[in-house]
Amino acid sequence: MAAFNIQEVLIWKEKIESVIDQHQEPQIANGNKYVSFEYKSGMDNGRTASSSDHECQFSAQEDEVGAPSSLLRRTTIGNGPPDSIFDWTQECDSELANHNANNQAFSGKHWRLLQCQNGLRIFEELVEVDYLPRSCSRAMKAVGVVEATCEEIFGLVMSMDGTRFEWDCSFQYGSLVEEVDGHTAILYHRLQLDWFPLFVWPRDLCYVRYWRRNDDGSYVVLFRSREHENCGQQPGYVRAHVESGGFNISPLKSRNGKPRTQVQHLMQVDLKGWGVGYVSSFQQHCLLQMLNSVAGLREWFAQIDERGAPPRIPVMVNMASSSVSSVKTQKIDELSVPPGPSLDQTNAASRNSVMMDEYSDEDEEQMPEAEQEACPTKSDNDAKRTAPKEEPFEKIDLSCFSGNLRRDDRENSRDCWRISDGNNFRVRSKHFCFNKTKIPAGKHLMDLVAVDWFKDTKRMDHVARHHGCAAQVASEKGLFSLVFNVQVPGSTHYSMVFYFVTRELVPGSLLYRFVEGDDEFRNSRLKLIPSVPKGSWIVRQSVGSTPCLLGKAVDCNYIRGPKYLEVDIDIGSSTVANGVLGLVIGVITTLVVDMAFLVQANTTDELPERLIGAVRVSHIELSSAIVPKLDADPSRLY
């Protein structure tokens, strides 16, 4: 909490763990029933623990009789969910081999084994690709096991120096174009492809790289092509396009005292040029050459007996400075490389990433709906039986409400919204403080009556004051509204506004306390559960499905009206959120996004959690947003 940067956090963490280990050793020698802390990949008896869940006032005490025989040490550095790593050989259904509830990339439904080579399994994605250029192939990924720690592999993957020649056979040259923040950078990359080099021009890339570290010690590194003014077309090179790609580096149990890590390398790329159109094997051959870098990583570590671990999270400024020196020594095509950021700027970015990590709710990710149905577990069935009973209520006439974004309940509709089933989301059960179980959310507390899709040259605040909007209509009918204004920054500012309506708030309820409470209480409780049922791999990985405490991750402004509460959510206030947004906004028309809003419950009298409401927006078009008229009658404000 008081560390200046992430390196200092790691030092404190190691010393605390050392003291804990020293304390545990004499207990084992004395026959104590507790064993020393054992690293587990976020799993404890089939459930995922959450460090933020320790807020529960009535959490099960570890020193009680009948406590588990092993205690869980959690790592909490990074911007990501506590991924749960499942062993596919233990799955009851052979069709769900490589199943991982937190990562669609593991699902046998979406991938098929294409071939095995160099000790790697090569998969091809089985999803819709109608939104891709014809020359862009389906995504392919290589999966292999490397005997090294996640930190060591991550350090190599992030490097662009001479070391990369030793494990990446497709690498020719790379440099930093711009460092956006501590998690995001624009890179220039030249490929060394061996497919008829005398007749085929070499390829290069300009792409945005985004990384995060999950609290189970795994790393995710994501790529996607992006144009940059300082990285134009280079003479003699064809500019390839990366639709999605990156690495997923996950820890495995050690064997014979050696660390083991599962490395997934995914690429979905359009290599452009004549070779793609005339020779069908050109694209696949080059793609396999790039994916073979996983085997290169494995062999690189296999030949080194003793090695010093590189920094757990390489500082981007080091890569920038090495890139500058590389340009000077190699003297290849004058590429404009901006100077590296100052140490203060780097530390500021590190502090920002740590803040984002603290503000993540750190509950387990939501299991995709299709996978829940495919392989229900005993705990899921038990949870469904303990789901909260829905109280009867009088339905609200929704015909009088309207927004400029249309509602369409058909499955394949575009540029529209519909209400998402609450059972697609899992929330804290009545007994969550004792056993950390979660249940399907069930019916919403409020009705989603309208969605507005606005754009303007400036940020749009307090949209509920707009005469004729759903919040004002509800107020005239004596109904209470909760308005979520999700603000997307850019050269053109966008706002997607969700209007949730109910007849009245129940005095003393958690939702009532949220509406009537102060901003500090609201920031500590307002939670968002996102999900991307349809979209490219890079977007699904970037957004994830981890519950997030909105008020602590980004700036939220609360405006209390006579019959409404508006929450203005400024996505641009977080550099990490901005990095994800940069990946999403360019492909927003190809996405189907689910969002659920709720107030986090921390104590037994507040449990079980209930959703305020949930919405699904499908294939949104930026051109469909309209400029709002926010001039309001002052008598309507307060």
Side-chain angles (χ1 to χ4, degrees), residues 105 189 193 215 264 270 336 349 370 402 431 465 541 569:
H189 190 152
L193 304 177
D215 66 351
Q264 299 179 76
D270 182 0
S336 175
S402 63
H431 305 290
R465 71 180 187 268
Q541 286 290 316
I569 305 168

Side-chain angles (χ1 to χ4, degrees), residues 339-446:
S342 66
L343 182 59
D344 292 339
Q345 291 173 325
T346 304
N347 290 337
S350 298
R351 288 195 301 271
N352 185 280
S353 66
V354 174
M355 289 173 61
M356 186 66 177
D357 303 334
E358 292 176 358
Y359 298 155
S360 172
D361 179 60
E362 294 187 6
D363 284 336
E364 68 268 22
E365 290 192 2
Q366 304 295 310
M367 183 182 296
E369 179 180 2
E371 295 181 4
Q372 290 181 27
E373 296 174 355
C375 189
T377 63
K378 180 179 179 181
S379 60
D380 288 338
N381 295 332
D382 293 341
K384 289 179 180 179
R385 287 196 295 268
T386 59
K389 296 180 179 180
E390 308 299 343
E391 62 277 5
F393 65 96
E394 185 179 354
K395 290 188 176 181
I396 298 174
D397 180 15
L398 306 182
S399 60
C400 57
F401 300 100
S402 63
N404 71 293
L405 187 66
R406 66 186 180 89
R407 175 175 179 174
D408 193 328
D409 292 333
R410 293 176 296 178
E411 188 66 29
N412 296 321
S413 300
R414 304 181 66 86
D415 199 25
C416 61
W417 67 272
R418 65 187 175 100
I419 297 175
S420 183
D421 186 358
N423 289 325
N424 293 343
F425 305 90
R426 298 178 66 81
V427 297
R428 298 177 176 184
S429 69
K430 181 67 176 176
H431 305 290
F432 179 82
C433 289
F434 300 99
N435 54 23
K436 300 296 185 292
T437 56
K438 291 200 170 186
I439 59 175
K443 192 176 295 293
H444 309 158
L445 291 173
M446 304 181 73

Side-chain angles (χ1 to χ4, degrees), residues 547-562:
C548 174
L549 292 174
L550 273 178
K552 293 187 176 181
V554 296
D555 290 343
C556 292
N557 184 33
Y558 303 91
I559 304 168
R560 182 69 164 92

Side-chain angles (χ1 to χ4, degrees), residues 484 486 498 500 527-528 550 569 595-599 611-613:
F484 293 100
V486 181
F498 306 102
F500 295 94
K527 185 191 291 185
L528 169 70
L550 273 178
I569 305 168
M595 289 178 283
F597 299 91
L598 67 156
V599 182
L611 296 183
I612 295 172

Side-chain angles (χ1 to χ4, degrees), residues 173-240:
Y173 168 72
S175 64
L176 175 68
V177 177
E178 179 186 352
E179 182 178 6
V180 180
D181 54 55
H183 286 263
T184 312
I186 309 295
L187 301 179
Y188 176 70
H189 190 152
R190 287 180 175 173
L191 299 174
Q192 180 71 45
L193 304 177
D194 60 5
W195 198 87
F196 291 105
L198 296 179
F199 302 97
V200 178
W201 279 25
R203 263 59 178 176
D204 65 356
L205 302 165
C206 180
Y207 59 90
V208 56
R209 182 184 68 187
Y210 168 81
W211 69 270
R212 71 170 186 264
R213 181 179 188 271
N214 298 332
D215 66 351
D216 67 341
S218 63
Y219 289 87
V220 174
V221 183
L222 306 173
F223 309 144
R224 189 170 193 273
S225 284
R226 176 179 293 183
E227 296 181 358
H228 195 279
E229 58 183 4
N230 293 334
C231 189
Q233 293 283 346
Q234 301 297 304
Y237 286 84
V238 175
R239 178 61 53 86

Side-chain angles (χ1 to χ4, degrees), residues 155-373:
L156 281 185
V157 167
M158 294 289 284
S159 66
M160 284 288 188
D161 55 18
T163 308
R164 197 177 186 101
F165 291 105
E166 301 180 23
W167 61 271
D168 188 353
C169 60
S170 66
F171 177 77
Q172 184 186 69
Y173 168 72
S175 64
L176 175 68
V177 177
E178 179 186 352
E179 182 178 6
V180 180
D181 54 55
H183 286 263
T184 312
I186 309 295
L187 301 179
Y188 176 70
H189 190 152
R190 287 180 175 173
L191 299 174
Q192 180 71 45
L193 304 177
D194 60 5
W195 198 87
F196 291 105
L198 296 179
F199 302 97
V200 178
W201 279 25
R203 263 59 178 176
D204 65 356
L205 302 165
C206 180
Y207 59 90
V208 56
R209 182 184 68 187
Y210 168 81
W211 69 270
R212 71 170 186 264
R213 181 179 188 271
N214 298 332
D215 66 351
D216 67 341
S218 63
Y219 289 87
V220 174
V221 183
L222 306 173
F223 309 144
R224 189 170 193 273
S225 284
R226 176 179 293 183
E227 296 181 358
H228 195 279
E229 58 183 4
N230 293 334
C231 189
Q233 293 283 346
Q234 301 297 304
Y237 286 84
V238 175
R239 178 61 53 86
H241 175 81
V242 178
E243 179 64 28
S244 64
F247 291 85
N248 193 352
I249 306 168
S250 307
L252 299 174
K253 289 183 178 180
S254 60
R255 180 178 295 173
N256 297 327
K258 295 183 179 180
R260 297 167 64 247
T261 299
Q262 183 189 70
V263 179
Q264 299 179 76
H265 182 21
L266 181 143
M267 290 296 294
Q268 187 171 27
V269 62
D270 182 0
L271 291 173
K272 305 289 187 180
W274 67 268
V276 177
Y278 289 93
V279 185
S280 59
S281 62
F282 169 68
Q283 180 115 341
Q284 184 174 8
H285 174 86
C286 297
L287 201 53
L288 289 174
Q289 184 179 345
M290 288 185 276
L291 295 177
N292 201 41
S293 62
V294 178
L297 284 169
R298 184 190 62 217
E299 298 305 319
W300 192 90
F301 284 105
Q303 66 183 348
I304 300 177
D305 294 330
E306 296 182 2
R307 55 186 181 269
R312 296 171 68 104
I313 300 180
V315 181
M316 291 295 297
V317 66
N318 294 338
M319 191 191 78
S321 60
S322 64
S323 300
V324 173
S325 62
S326 177
V327 172
K328 290 181 179 179
T329 55
Q330 297 187 26
K331 295 184 179 179
I332 56 179
D333 305 329
E334 294 294 332
L335 181 66
S336 175
V337 180
S342 66
L343 182 59
D344 292 339
Q345 291 173 325
T346 304
N347 290 337
S350 298
R351 288 195 301 271
N352 185 280
S353 66
V354 174
M355 289 173 61
M356 186 66 177
D357 303 334
E358 292 176 358
Y359 298 155
S360 172
D361 179 60
E362 294 187 6
D363 284 336
E364 68 268 22
E365 290 192 2
Q366 304 295 310
M367 183 182 296
E369 179 180 2
E371 295 181 4
Q372 290 181 27
E373 296 174 355

Side-chain angles (χ1 to χ4, degrees), residues 113-133:
L113 183 63
L114 195 64
Q115 66 183 43
C116 296
Q117 68 175 33
N118 295 336
L120 307 178
R121 290 177 297 153
I122 309 297
F123 293 87
E124 182 181 52
E125 192 175 21
L126 298 178
V127 296
E128 297 179 41
V129 290
D130 55 338
Y131 56 86
L132 296 174

